[in-house]
Amino acid sequence: MPRKSTHPAPADHSSLCIQYLRRCGGSARLCHINFSLNVIQMLVNQRKVKIKNTGAGFFIELEDAK
């Protein structure tokens, strides 16, 4: 029988994605991140991140980063 963890683990990786974007200065190329489309879509729906087309590629950036 597997042990239960004493630390709560998020069911999704949205918090890890937010942490990654903060470490990258608030934005990163969408093709360079390794998070699933479901995680990215959930963050867009929650208005925590936005997708920006710069003409040179798509970037994901935090909403509070300016």
Side-chain angles (χ1 to χ4, degrees):
M1 182 173 207
R3 284 192 199 180
K4 290 186 178 181
S5 174
T6 57
H7 302 288
D12 58 22
H13 297 284
S14 60
S15 62
L16 294 175
C17 185
I18 296 289
Q19 286 177 356
Y20 176 79
L21 289 172
R22 285 188 180 135
R23 283 191 313 235
C24 291
S27 72
R29 282 191 89 121
L30 193 57
C31 63
H32 290 167
I33 63 173
N34 292 325
F35 294 98
S36 71
L37 293 176
N38 291 334
V39 170
I40 295 169
Q41 185 64 51
M42 183 179 65
L43 291 172
V44 169
N45 290 345
Q46 292 174 355
R47 294 194 166 115
K48 292 185 178 182
V49 298
K50 60 183 174 182
I51 306 297
K52 187 175 183 181
N53 184 359
T54 62
F58 288 92
F59 282 80
I60 182 171
E61 58 186 33
L62 293 172
E63 278 289 333
D64 56 6
K66 292 182 181 176

